[in-house]
Amino acid sequence: MAEQTEDIVGLVDAVVRPLIEFPDDLRIEASEAEDGSILVEVHVNEEDAGKVIGRQGRVIKAVRTLARAAASRTATHVEVELID
């Protein structure tokens, strides 16, 4: 399961990093719950939060959809949270 978590973190990193101005402030942390679900927390600079959220939340919604699709092959639930 840890390999899948690393894959999802890598996917989220690959999508978010090109969007932000302060890539040094980007931190992505993942944790697994007892039920097997994965929580991915994306920490960005306050100035970059709007870019990651996007208009009406479209960008972060797309990131969540991609992460869930990547985990769907093993029927794992993934939650992506943005923390600025």
Side-chain angles (χ1 to χ4, degrees):
M1 186 70 84
E3 182 179 331
Q4 182 179 16
T5 303
E6 291 175 18
D7 289 346
I8 292 172
V9 167
L11 172 67
V12 172
D13 183 89
V15 172
V16 172
R17 191 169 295 276
L19 299 174
I20 60 178
E21 286 186 41
F22 302 98
D24 294 338
D25 293 343
L26 176 63
R27 244 181 36 243
I28 301 175
E29 299 172 355
S31 60
E32 294 182 28
E34 291 179 17
D35 63 354
S37 63
I38 301 170
L39 173 64
V40 179
E41 294 180 342
V42 181
H43 301 266
V44 296
N45 188 303
E46 287 182 21
E47 295 180 29
D48 288 330
K51 294 174 184 167
V52 176
I53 294 170
R55 289 188 180 197
Q56 298 179 354
R58 288 185 182 143
V59 174
I60 191 65
K61 195 179 295 185
V63 171
R64 288 178 178 138
T65 300
L66 284 171
R68 289 178 182 147
S72 68
R73 59 190 159 129
T74 59
T76 304
H77 179 74
V78 175
E79 195 63 42
V80 177
E81 295 293 328
L82 176 66
I83 300 172
D84 55 349

